Amino acid sequence: FRMIEHNQEELNRAKALQAVMEEREKIARELHDGIAQSLFFLNVQVTQLERMEQAEGLPIARLKESVHRANDYVRQAIANLRHAADVDRNPWLQGGESLIDELRRETDLQFEANWTLPESLLSPKEKVELLAIVREALLNCYKHAEATRVRLLAETIPGGWRCRIADNGRGFDPQAAGAGDHYGLRMMRDRAGKMGWRLNIERINGETVVTIAKEVHGHDDVPRHDCR
């Protein structure tokens, strides 16, 4: 039985690593097809501008240097994403508690965390997607909402599970979650939508509350102010 359990753990670990690698490859393709190509055409335009008489006195050299630096950064990021993921260092593979510990070290946020959601309830793909959404939500609390305190709850509910992140930041308009510069919020919404989860973003008693929930048909335990 110990051998069977060990083999099952190795299988789950391999599936989780495969899910992460697929996600990394997807991001690498998006970087290559989007940002890298845009930087290439921008460099072409800067070179053409440099040859124009109207460009005299403009900081063309600095602009070209900035474009080249950004291009090098993107190319390096693409290369890194296509390398094998380090299972022991990747927070998506370590679980919710490790993600919280990492953000405690990297930010000044005060956490009140209660992660009781058994990882056995999540498939490798679900684990990757859920922790990616949670990570983005927590970083938004710190970078954009200027929050100082965050409450995180991950638990089972009848027919599924629910994860909630509440912060004391300045908040934003939930209706703008899919527009403008809210790229991170669009990413959260798209990930949740593809997994068939509900994503709610609300202002409740001066807090911004993000809820991600997986529900089996017939159970309804989450408010329906969703922004999928």
Side-chain angles (χ1 to χ4, degrees), residues 151 164 166-167 201-209 211 223 225:
R151 292 185 292 108
R164 275 184 174 160
D167 71 80
I201 304 178
E202 306 170 280
R203 286 291 289 180
I204 303 175
N205 298 326
E207 290 186 324
T208 299
V209 181
T211 303
H225 305 293

Side-chain angles (χ1 to χ4, degrees), residues 14 56-57 65 94 96 129 142 228:
E56 185 176 353
E65 181 182 357
Q94 293 175 357
E129 296 297 334
Y142 179 68
R228 256 192 310 187

Side-chain angles (χ1 to χ4, degrees), residues 167-183:
D167 71 80
N168 66 342
R170 56 190 175 88
F172 69 101
D173 179 7
Q175 299 302 320
D181 297 327
H182 297 286
Y183 174 78

Side-chain angles (χ1 to χ4, degrees), residues 165-204:
I165 303 104
D167 71 80
N168 66 342
R170 56 190 175 88
F172 69 101
D173 179 7
Q175 299 302 320
D181 297 327
H182 297 286
Y183 174 78
L185 298 176
R186 293 203 307 274
M187 181 275 290
M188 292 162 57
R189 181 195 61 187
D190 290 344
R191 285 181 183 273
K194 289 177 181 178
M195 297 301 294
W197 300 339
R198 300 216 350 239
L199 174 65
N200 305 333
I201 304 178
E202 306 170 280
R203 286 291 289 180
I204 303 175

Side-chain angles (χ1 to χ4, degrees), residues 112-162:
E112 179 184 333
N114 185 15
W115 191 286
T116 60
L117 174 60
E119 293 190 13
S120 59
L121 291 183
L122 302 172
S123 69
K125 177 65 172 176
E126 287 178 324
K127 185 176 178 182
V128 169
E129 296 297 334
L130 175 60
L131 291 181
I133 295 173
V134 171
R135 183 183 182 85
E136 183 65 31
L138 291 175
L139 288 176
N140 284 341
C141 295
Y142 179 68
K143 293 190 300 183
H144 303 302
E146 300 176 0
T148 58
R149 295 191 310 276
V150 175
R151 292 185 292 108
L152 173 61
L153 171 67
E155 60 182 351
T156 57
I157 58 174
W161 50 260
R162 173 175 58 197

